[in-house]
Amino acid sequence: MSDKQIHIEEPGPSEYRSLLVQHEMKRASVWIAMGIAVALVVLLAQPIMLILGALVLTAMMDGGTRLLGRVLPIGRGWRLAIVLLAALAFLIYTFFLTGSSLAAQAQAMRVIVETQVTQIGGWMQQLGITTTPEDFKNLASQAMSSLGRVTAAVGTMVGALTSGVMMLVLAIFIAVEPKLYERGVAWMLPMEKRARFYRIADKMGWTLRRLMFGRLIGMAVEGVGTWLLLWAGGVPMAGLLGILTGLFAFLPNIGSIISGILIVLVGFSAGVDAGLYAFGVYLVVQIVDGYLIVPMVAKRATDLAPALVLAAQILFGALFGILGLFLADPIVAMLKVYLEERSKALEAERTEDPAILQDAS
């Protein structure tokens, strides 16, 4: 026995029984899963954005249905139908009954904007700045081409119409009975995770409804206010500018800049006095919306810093295109809700404070 020593074999790095191998495999699987998730996000950018857009539309429909339920004690399906019919009637009145005049104004506006851009280019050349109108067109083309993969999918009229119909149909199905789909998602989670999921889902829904309600109020105030004030001041194309301002108001920060440029260019086409008046109208409308409507309706629910929203718009616009640009702040609002609820849960687990546990639950 003295010449022979007993040697106990241990699993080597090539065997999965090794604790080292198991640990490294777990670490590697995490990185592989993250890589697969990123690849799926890139490949499935369009359907992901369409689903998120449908959820935003669902929040708007659900908010209107809940609001209507305060005055009409009827079934949810009937209230949802009334909301959809009212929205359809508004679109028909806006774009079909006034379609011919708006189309003529849009064509005239295009000529006015091109003329104003040419004049600005000539004025800049007189100041020694070698800029031509073609530079502005190239800049706009580069800005559009810098948007993400989804832009190519919805960049045509057919693509945009198809995407809009898909989002609308999906949103209607979810809005008919949102709790059904919420329970379906919760069914795929472990039992101990479902209570927190329901809490986060309810908070996200409330936040989106509040955010979209504020957005719609802001769109109405900006659109109608711009139209009436420009019409009272004799600025041409007041109706079209009001509609465009209302539509662009759905896009925070960037939308107000685009509508402001159009208002000022069209205003100065009618003279210096009309241009200055149009600029004043733009400032008044933005101040009313930014300092009265948004803080009163939406900011209390989301409290998103303007710089954060603008940064998210730049990032999501580059990654996911036009839909990402429009859905940037709803996505950030939902992420904020999740992080806040996650922080409450972690704090409750760390402190085991009954008050915090009750608040988190």
Side-chain angles (χ1 to χ4, degrees):
M1 295 292 296
S2 60
D3 295 333
K4 296 182 180 180
Q5 295 181 354
I6 299 176
H7 180 70
I8 301 176
E9 294 289 339
E10 295 181 356
S14 61
E15 298 188 48
Y16 187 72
R17 288 179 297 170
S18 172
L19 295 178
L20 177 62
V21 173
Q22 293 180 13
H23 177 68
E24 294 298 327
M25 286 291 292
K26 290 180 181 179
R27 294 178 59 184
S29 63
V30 171
W31 287 105
I32 293 173
M34 290 181 62
I36 294 174
V38 172
L40 288 177
V41 169
V42 174
L43 294 175
L44 302 177
Q46 181 186 2
I48 289 175
M49 287 296 105
L50 291 180
I51 293 173
L52 290 175
L55 292 178
V56 172
L57 289 178
T58 300
M60 298 170 68
M61 297 177 188
D62 186 50
T65 303
R66 290 169 180 262
L67 189 62
L68 195 60
R70 298 182 179 181
V71 294
L72 289 179
I74 57 178
R76 177 182 174 84
W78 291 107
R79 286 182 277 123
L80 179 61
I82 292 174
V83 171
L84 294 176
L85 289 176
L88 180 62
F90 172 77
L91 293 177
I92 292 176
Y93 175 78
T94 303
F95 294 102
F96 286 91
L97 297 183
T98 62
S100 57
S101 60
L102 290 179
Q105 290 185 16
Q107 184 63 29
M109 179 182 290
R110 178 181 177 181
V111 176
I112 290 175
V113 170
E114 291 180 351
T115 302
Q116 294 293 90
V117 169
T118 302
Q119 293 179 356
I120 293 174
W123 176 69
M124 295 178 68
Q125 286 181 349
Q126 293 179 358
L127 296 177
I129 303 175
T130 57
T131 301
T132 63
E134 292 297 328
D135 295 332
F136 292 103
K137 295 181 181 179
N138 294 334
L139 180 61
S141 300
Q142 292 176 4
M144 290 299 298
S145 63
S146 65
L147 295 178
R149 299 179 69 253
V150 182
T151 303
V154 300
T156 62
M157 181 63 67
V158 176
L161 183 61
T162 303
S163 300
V165 171
M166 292 174 61
M167 285 192 297
L168 182 61
V169 172
L170 181 59
I172 292 175
F173 275 119
I174 299 175
V176 169
E177 195 172 355
K179 292 297 181 182
L180 174 65
Y181 299 94
E182 184 178 316
R183 291 193 298 268
V185 175
W187 176 79
M188 296 184 290
L189 300 175
M191 292 291 294
E192 64 272 12
K193 301 290 185 180
R194 294 183 183 181
R196 190 174 69 181
F197 168 77
Y198 285 127
R199 183 176 66 252
I200 294 176
D202 290 341
K203 185 65 178 296
M204 283 184 176
W206 182 86
T207 301
L208 277 181
R209 289 193 299 270
R210 188 87 175 189
L211 179 64
M212 290 300 104
F213 178 70
R215 189 67 48 79
L216 291 176
I217 295 297
M219 291 172 66
V221 170
E222 290 193 30
V224 175
T226 300
W227 167 50
L228 293 177
L229 292 175
L230 292 180
W231 174 75
V235 178
M237 305 175 192
L240 180 60
L241 287 173
I243 292 176
L244 291 177
T245 301
L247 293 177
F248 281 124
F250 189 85
L251 187 62
N253 302 323
I254 298 177
S256 61
I257 295 174
I258 297 175
S259 61
I261 292 174
L262 293 177
I263 291 173
V264 171
L265 289 178
V266 174
F268 276 101
S269 68
V272 177
D273 294 338
L276 294 176
Y277 176 80
F279 181 70
V281 168
Y282 168 74
L283 291 180
V284 170
V285 170
Q286 293 301 320
I287 289 173
V288 170
D289 181 59
Y291 289 93
L292 294 179
I293 304 300
V294 173
M296 181 178 61
V297 179
K299 190 174 178 61
R300 294 179 182 177
T302 58
D303 194 22
L304 297 177
L308 177 62
V309 174
L310 182 58
Q313 288 174 334
I314 296 173
L315 177 60
F316 285 106
L319 291 176
F320 305 113
I322 293 179
L323 283 178
L325 195 66
F326 277 89
L327 299 176
D329 53 326
I331 292 175
V332 173
M334 288 189 289
L335 288 175
K336 181 175 180 290
V337 170
Y338 172 77
L339 293 176
E340 287 179 346
E341 295 299 322
R342 178 64 176 172
S343 176
K344 289 181 181 179
L346 292 176
E347 183 68 17
E349 294 175 1
R350 185 178 65 86
T351 60
E352 295 183 356
D353 188 346
I356 298 179
L357 287 172
Q358 184 178 2
D359 181 66
S361 61

